[in-house]
Amino acid sequence: MKKYQRLYDLDAPQTTLLHREIIQRKTLLKRLYLDWYQTLIHKSRQIREKGQFLEIGSGGGFLKTVFPEVITSDILDLPMVDIVCNAERLPFGNASLCSIMMVNVFHHIPRPFMFLREAERTLIPSGKILMIEPANSLLSRFIYRKFHHEPFDPDGAMEIMPGNPLSNSNQALPYIYFEREKESFAKNFPELKLSSIRYHTPFRYIVSGGLSMNALLPSFCYLPVKIMEQLLSPLSRQIGLFCSIDIEKRI
């Protein structure tokens, strides 16, 4: 397979801008992100209480183009984000956010427990953290370990080295916090309730080529592949590459 784009300094702002350009230029990948965004938007709009909507790690995506009321943020100083901030220290008041949304961001946060404390503080009662993250399935372990530059260590620690916002990561952090250590999560964050974890999307990201490879199929194949995934949904725990994690602040 030919490389779509060779990326060098992952932590440079220019690389995040390149990611954004690739996602919007590659039809299959953009349609996948649109599907994910529509899910996040639908769940956010179901929250009836007043508050703001926040996206963390917005730099590489385009959520604001389909959800204009969202406040976009990133740890990097990028031209398209509303706020430059660290997820471990959110610049929002107590009980001011309806939802905190993120796509492939949680596993880059050095001290996720600090982010969860901030979410506990800033979310309104019944507000939600809505994230889409790498899953820990048979297929995902094979793909992420063999074909992805980021580490995937389900037995790893509950934090990672700070300082490099993209190159430092553990794709298994969502699994570690919300599955492996779910009892610790419940004990340490009593105001937060893990509502659901759903594994999904075994094939669409692969056939899109992701951020670094050419697409494996033409764009008109998106819907058939999506239908195939739906038919295979009973096997999602074994083959899902991603998972949707919903966490709600208790009333």
Side-chain angles (χ1 to χ4, degrees):
M1 290 185 289
K2 185 174 70 173
K3 290 286 183 182
Y4 185 83
Q5 175 73 48
R6 187 172 291 279
L7 303 177
Y8 293 98
D9 185 358
L10 286 171
D11 300 304
Q14 293 80 2
T15 303
T16 295
L17 295 175
L18 178 59
H19 288 173
R20 177 184 175 91
E21 178 188 340
I22 292 171
I23 290 169
Q24 300 221 48
R25 187 167 68 227
K26 296 179 71 175
T27 303
L28 288 170
L29 191 56
K30 184 175 183 179
R31 289 188 66 180
L32 176 57
Y33 269 76
L34 281 170
D35 276 355
W36 284 349
Y37 286 160
Q38 290 304 324
T39 299
L40 297 178
I41 293 168
H42 175 71
K43 290 178 180 178
S44 292
R45 286 183 169 154
Q46 286 183 318
I47 303 167
R48 299 302 180 188
E49 289 77 6
K50 290 184 178 180
Q52 297 174 298
F53 304 104
L54 173 68
E55 183 191 23
I56 292 175
S58 309
F62 58 96
L63 176 60
K64 200 173 185 77
T65 64
V66 291
F67 193 29
E69 55 264 52
V70 72
I71 298 170
T72 56
S73 71
D74 203 281
I75 197 168
L76 298 174
D77 190 357
L78 298 167
M80 77 292 295
V81 300
D82 299 318
I83 296 174
V84 178
C85 69
N86 188 325
E88 297 174 2
R89 296 185 300 274
L90 295 176
F92 294 90
N94 297 345
S96 61
L97 300 175
C98 279
S99 69
I100 301 172
M101 295 167 277
M102 60 183 78
V103 176
N104 288 327
V105 172
F106 185 85
H107 67 273
H108 288 285
I109 299 175
R111 292 162 294 195
F113 56 89
M114 292 183 67
F115 159 68
L116 292 169
R117 284 275 179 247
E118 283 291 86
E120 205 170 34
R121 177 184 68 81
T122 57
L123 283 172
I124 63 171
S126 76
K128 295 180 179 179
I129 307 170
L130 303 169
M131 63 179 83
I132 296 173
E133 288 286 328
N136 182 23
S137 69
L138 289 173
L139 179 62
S140 72
R141 289 193 292 273
F142 173 75
I143 294 294
Y144 293 141
R145 287 170 172 168
K146 297 292 185 181
F147 302 104
H148 202 277
H149 66 275
E150 293 180 63
F152 187 88
D153 181 11
D155 298 317
M158 298 186 72
E159 56 185 285
I160 56 176
M161 288 292 293
N164 298 308
L166 288 179
S167 58
N168 288 357
S169 69
N170 178 6
Q171 293 181 100
L173 272 176
Y175 161 77
I176 291 170
Y177 266 79
F178 307 119
E179 295 187 73
R180 193 191 82 186
E181 305 292 338
K182 63 181 180 181
E183 292 182 4
S184 294
F185 168 77
K187 178 181 178 181
N188 293 326
F189 304 97
E191 294 184 51
L192 299 178
K193 177 180 68 175
L194 180 61
S195 300
S196 66
I197 300 177
R198 184 177 67 86
Y199 281 38
H200 56 80
T201 316
F203 307 127
R204 277 177 289 167
Y205 190 84
I206 295 174
V207 301
S208 77
L211 292 170
S212 59
M213 307 295 292
N214 284 324
L216 304 182
L217 295 174
S219 57
F220 66 79
C221 291
Y222 182 84
L223 185 57
V225 175
K226 183 177 179 179
I227 291 171
M228 181 173 64
E229 288 183 336
Q230 292 170 343
L231 293 173
L232 291 173
S233 60
L235 299 175
S236 290
R237 274 282 173 175
Q238 289 73 45
I239 63 175
L241 253 62
F242 296 91
C243 60
S244 293
I245 302 171
D246 295 2
I247 298 167
E248 184 174 348
K249 184 172 178 178
R250 300 181 189 275
I251 298 175

